Amino acid sequence: MKIWVDADACPAVIKETLFRAAERTQTQVTLVANHTMRVPPSRFISMLTVSSGFDVADDEIVKRLESGDLVITADIPLADEVITKGGLALNPRGEMYSHENIKAKLNMRDFMETMRASGVQTGGPSALSQAERQAFANQLDRLLAKRK
């Protein structure tokens, strides 16, 4: 299993958790973004910089993804593509996307986008809580343990 990170919007604390897990479990982690990011020197951690543009990083992740790989993303349409291709998708808040929940999440996302387009102020996501950081770390550990 490889881990792909939709890195443009991934919180720094989640990236740090991924870096530690990569070293501990000797799992390949690749950050994909449209600008260069600092990654620690490691044979297990790499940075893939793609050109700017709408969904360029998402498209690159889907292109390189193999069945069973894990993608870290809060992007629901990307998560849907990952699941369709046989990958696993984990939200930085610790929630797994699945065949059972992704369509409902897509519908809610589209509904909220329609509300925003009509001028309704919906606000952004809340700050990442300590409980969500822990949920992410726990879910990641479970997935990596299953791999072995």
Side-chain angles (χ1 to χ4, degrees):
M1 170 193 344
K2 291 181 182 176
I3 300 175
W4 301 93
V5 184
D6 184 9
D8 284 320
C10 187
V13 67
I14 297 302
K15 290 179 209 162
E16 292 298 326
T17 300
L18 288 162
F19 297 157
R20 287 190 302 274
E23 289 298 320
R24 186 180 74 247
T25 64
Q26 298 184 350
T27 302
Q28 186 63 45
V29 172
T30 304
L31 278 67
V32 183
N34 61 20
H35 63 281
T36 303
M37 296 180 179
R38 181 198 66 79
V39 296
S42 168
R43 64 185 185 160
F44 303 110
I45 302 167
S46 60
M47 173 73 215
L48 176 61
T49 306
V50 297
S51 61
S52 294
F54 186 72
D55 286 343
V56 174
D58 298 0
D59 294 344
E60 192 65 31
I61 290 170
V62 171
K63 182 175 103 180
R64 293 173 181 250
L65 176 77
E66 295 179 10
S67 181
D69 284 355
L70 173 63
V71 175
I72 310 302
T73 186
D75 184 314
I76 296 170
L78 172 57
D80 185 40
E81 288 186 76
V82 167
I83 291 167
T84 299
K85 196 169 174 183
L88 304 168
L90 176 60
N91 184 294
R93 295 179 184 271
E95 180 182 12
M96 286 296 300
Y97 297 106
S98 67
H99 288 287
E100 292 76 27
N101 69 16
I102 195 66
K103 296 305 179 197
K105 291 188 179 303
L106 274 170
N107 287 337
M108 181 56 75
R109 175 199 172 270
D110 293 345
F111 172 73
M112 295 303 286
E113 201 167 273
T114 301
M115 296 290 286
R116 285 188 292 275
S118 67
V120 175
Q121 297 292 330
T122 59
S126 60
L128 198 64
S129 72
Q130 187 60 41
E132 289 168 327
R133 294 176 193 181
Q134 190 61 54
F136 175 84
N138 290 343
Q139 192 69 262
L140 180 63
D141 283 346
R142 279 192 288 278
L143 291 167
L144 291 172
K146 273 190 211 174
R147 178 183 70 122
K148 296 193 179 225

